[in-house]
């Protein structure tokens, strides 16, 4: 997957960048991956981080903030064709999926989980709603990024990494400081690794993580 960023001023394209790396820094500093010479842009203004099959933009403590669709954000999952306002400039986002992998012969059938007592490797990690309107619902965590919560109220994302699953704050709705809770503790604006049995609360929905 690659991400293309087109820098615009007053609606006119000034420059274009394409990346397939894990992170991209946007700022006024000349050593930024995308350097924007604008007094309203901080030295290190924003960072775009690849998480699973998605990209997340994070404000790096800038003075004038990062805005998407007219709303200031601290961290948010980017969508294809998003228009991000940074200082007096805009950055149009284009996200392209990688070519599908070549087909491979089907693997030999594996024993079902029930035939291997105590074996949990065949069962994907999941979240179970333990309190909320969908109590009892299980959410399989098979994708690179799974979002949970309620848009406009509070949203978090669970990213699948080689080291395990991590929860990340995405959107606090009207309360920008509202972040998810894990075992009753606010996670802040950094990702947190989940452990089996962790209790997660997002937008008033309480879920249990099963890794």
């Amino acid at each position: 997957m690659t991400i293309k960023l087109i820098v615009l001023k007053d609606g006119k394209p000034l420059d274009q960048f394409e990346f397939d790396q894990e992170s991209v820094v946007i700022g006024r500093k000349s050593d930024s991956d995308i350097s924007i010479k604008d007094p309203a842009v901080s030295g290190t203004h924003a960072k775009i981080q690849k998480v699973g099959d998605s990209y997340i933009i994070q404000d790096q403590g800038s003075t004038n903030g990062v805005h998407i669709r007219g709303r200031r954000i601290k961290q948010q999952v980017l969508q294809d064709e998003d228009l991000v306002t940074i200082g007096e400039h805009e950055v149009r986002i284009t996200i392209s999926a990688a070519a599908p992998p070549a087909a491979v012969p089907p693997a030999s059938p594996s024993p079902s989980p029930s035939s291997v007592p105590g074996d949990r490797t065949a069962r994907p990690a999941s979240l179970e709603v333990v309190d909320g309107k969908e109590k009892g619902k299980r959410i399989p965590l098979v994708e690179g990024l799974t979002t949970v919560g309620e848009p406009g109220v509070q949203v978090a994302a669970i990213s699948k990494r080689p080291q395990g699953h991590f929860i990340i704050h995405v959107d606090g709705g009207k309360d920008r400081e509202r972040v998810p809770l894990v075992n009753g503790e606010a996670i802040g604006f950094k990702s947190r690794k989940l452990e089996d049995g962790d209790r997660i609360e997002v937008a008033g929905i309480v879920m249990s993580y099963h890794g």
Side-chain angles (χ1 to χ4, degrees), residues 135-210:
K135 185 176 180 179
K137 178 181 178 180
R138 294 187 77 92
I139 304 168
L141 302 175
V142 295
E143 303 295 333
L145 197 75
T146 302
T147 56
V148 294
E150 185 177 340
V153 177
Q154 188 183 25
V155 178
I158 311 295
S159 68
K160 183 180 180 182
R161 306 182 190 176
Q163 303 91 338
H165 286 88
F166 290 74
I167 184 169
I168 308 165
H169 167 76
V170 174
D171 184 13
K174 293 181 180 179
D175 183 356
R176 296 172 185 163
E177 303 300 319
R178 187 183 184 189
V179 297
L181 304 179
V182 174
N183 301 327
E185 178 184 342
I187 68 167
F189 296 96
K190 295 184 178 180
S191 62
R192 169 168 171 163
K193 188 176 188 297
L194 292 172
E195 303 293 342
D196 191 43
D198 275 350
R199 193 177 177 88
I200 300 163
E201 184 174 346
V202 181
I205 304 166
V206 181
M207 295 161 282
S208 179
Y209 170 71
H210 303 284

Side-chain angles (χ1 to χ4, degrees), residues 90-101:
E90 293 177 320
V91 179
R92 184 176 299 281
I93 306 296
T94 303
I95 299 172
S96 304

